């Protein structure tokens, strides 16, 4: 059994490292912005990494999206810049419903521009009163003749205000439908989301009778949730990849400091308590990496069937990244608290990863449900409803 990445993925890591090196001088500025950093966006476009997020038929790199490829690239990018990582990932997250179920016209119009980075994509799910409980959304698709209008609000939307289009989930009678809304649609307005601890391109969207032609419906009316789940199945494991990159960057900062900082007559790394934190961090990251790569490999074959593996990887990797960053700050002492230092930025960026694309508690519920169902199936026992 070979646990090493194949040459294809090693080459992708090298591509990503080249982009990360180009962005490194801009990272402090970019990671402190809630609007688009032009230099980072241009570096990403020039890299052609966005081709990984669109099928080959529409300008992409591979015949179909590869979750492992996306995860290993995010692992590299996040270790340098959260702004860079977010721009990359959202090209896929915002456009995947179109890839999965869009019309030929929708795919031909938008996906080639997503692949080149000419247009940024966004996914409109969260609302002021609906986060994890998406069935509680109130944004509504209202029929008007053969077409529709869209009414409601979305909140904390990544790439809000920077995207060229939004894939929006809306209530549609007794079901939910996904629609494609270009950013220049009349009646659509975007206001900045309140600043968060880890700055990020975020916007709140307001839809005031936004005209939605029937041709803008993505897939089948009423099946919107299936496209949301398909997107999560494809991209959740990539959050685990990004978490690994963040944790690895924090461990490197701590190891560099511990190996060069002397206290009580010897380097910090040779003092028992510090050595223990470094060793635990390395071991836990390696365990999370193995789970992440395995989950991503399973998702290559069937993302939906592997979703509980992806959820477990995201849970473990994001929780591990939080622990590793906290230990790194402790190891570095006052040097870990300096504003806009590498480790301070990583500290701010680590916390949201345990919340977005499935909060840790929500993921645990889903994983536990899958574990129980597996056991009951094996024993022929009927589950209690």
């Amino acid at each position: 059994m070979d646990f090493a990445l194949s040459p294809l993925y090693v080459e992708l890591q090298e591509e990503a490292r080249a982009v990360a090196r180009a962005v490194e001088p801009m990272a402090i500025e970019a990671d402190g912005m809630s609007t688009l950093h032009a230099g980072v966006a241009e570096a990403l476009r020039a890299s052609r990494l966005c081709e990984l997020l669109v099928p080959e038929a529409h300008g992409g790199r591979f015949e179909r999206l590869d979750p492992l490829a996306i995860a290993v690239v995010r692992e590299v990018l996040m270790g340098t810049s959260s702004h860079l990582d977010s721009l990359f990932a959202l090209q896929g997250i915002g456009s995947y419903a179109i890839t999965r179920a869009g019309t030929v016209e929708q795919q031909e119009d938008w996906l080639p521009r997503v692949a080149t980075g000419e247009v940024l994509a966004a996914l409109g799910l969260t609302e002021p009163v609906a986060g994890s409980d998406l069935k509680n959304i109130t944004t509504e698709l209202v029929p008007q003749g053969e077409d529709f209008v869209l009414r409601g609000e979305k909140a904390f939307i990544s790439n809000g205000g920077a995207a060229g289009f939004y894939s929006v989930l809306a209530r549609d009678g007794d079901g939910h439908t996904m629609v494609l809304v270009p950013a220049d649609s009349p009646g659509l307005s975007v206001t900045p989301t309140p600043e968060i601890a880890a700055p990020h391109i975020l916007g709140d969207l307001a839809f005031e009778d936004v005209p939605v032609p029937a041709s803008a419906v993505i897939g089948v009316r009423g099946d919107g949730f299936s496209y949301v789940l398909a997107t999560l199945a494809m991209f959740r494991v990539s959050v685990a990849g990004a978490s690994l990159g963040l944790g690895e960057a924090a461990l490197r900062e701590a190891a560099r400091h511990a190996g060069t900082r002397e206290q009580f007559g010897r380097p910090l790394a040779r003092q028992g308590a510090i050595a223990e934190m470094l060793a635990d961090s390395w071991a836990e990251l390696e365990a999370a990496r193995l789970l992440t790569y395995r989950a991503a490999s399973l998702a290559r074959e069937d993302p939906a069937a592997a979703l509980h593996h992806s959820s477990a990887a995201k849970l473990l990797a994001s929780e591990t990244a939080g622990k590793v960053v906290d230990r790194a700050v402790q190891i570095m002492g006052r040097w870990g608290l300096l504003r806009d230092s590498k480790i301070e930025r990583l500290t701010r960026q680590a916390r949201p990863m345990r919340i977005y694309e499935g909060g840790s508690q929500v993921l645990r519920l889903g994983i536990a449900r899958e574990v129980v169902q597996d056991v009951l199936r094996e024993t022929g026992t009927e589950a209690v409803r």
Side-chain angles (χ1 to χ4, degrees), residues 336-366:
L337 302 175
L338 294 179
R339 177 72 178 178
D340 286 334
S341 65
K342 177 86 171 188
I343 194 64
E344 191 267 345
R345 284 191 292 125
L346 292 171
T347 302
R348 286 186 278 122
Q349 292 155 7
R351 191 60 187 85
M353 302 190 83
R354 291 151 60 190
I355 296 174
Y356 73 83
E357 286 201 45
S360 292
Q361 286 67 38
V362 174
L363 294 180
R364 287 185 173 101
L365 282 172

Side-chain angles (χ1 to χ4, degrees), residues 69-107:
I70 297 167
V72 298
V73 168
R74 291 195 67 183
E75 183 178 355
V76 173
L77 301 185
M78 187 65 182
T80 293
S81 168
S82 62
H83 195 89
L84 173 61
D85 169 69
S86 176
L87 286 179
F88 169 75
L90 283 164
Q91 288 298 85
I93 293 169
S95 67
Y96 190 66
I98 300 172
T99 294
R100 176 68 179 254
T103 64
V104 171
E105 181 181 7
Q106 290 168 352
Q107 292 173 346

Side-chain angles (χ1 to χ4, degrees), residues 36 38 40-50 115-120:
L36 181 67
V40 173
E42 179 52 39
L44 181 60
R45 280 193 291 266
S47 74
R48 297 178 57 195
L49 285 176
C50 291
T116 62
E118 175 190 346
V119 169
L120 299 183

Side-chain angles (χ1 to χ4, degrees), residues 115-137:
T116 62
E118 175 190 346
V119 169
L120 299 183
L123 179 63
L125 301 180
T126 307
E127 298 187 359
V129 296
S132 299
D133 182 15
L134 286 176
K135 290 186 178 180
N136 200 32
I137 64 171

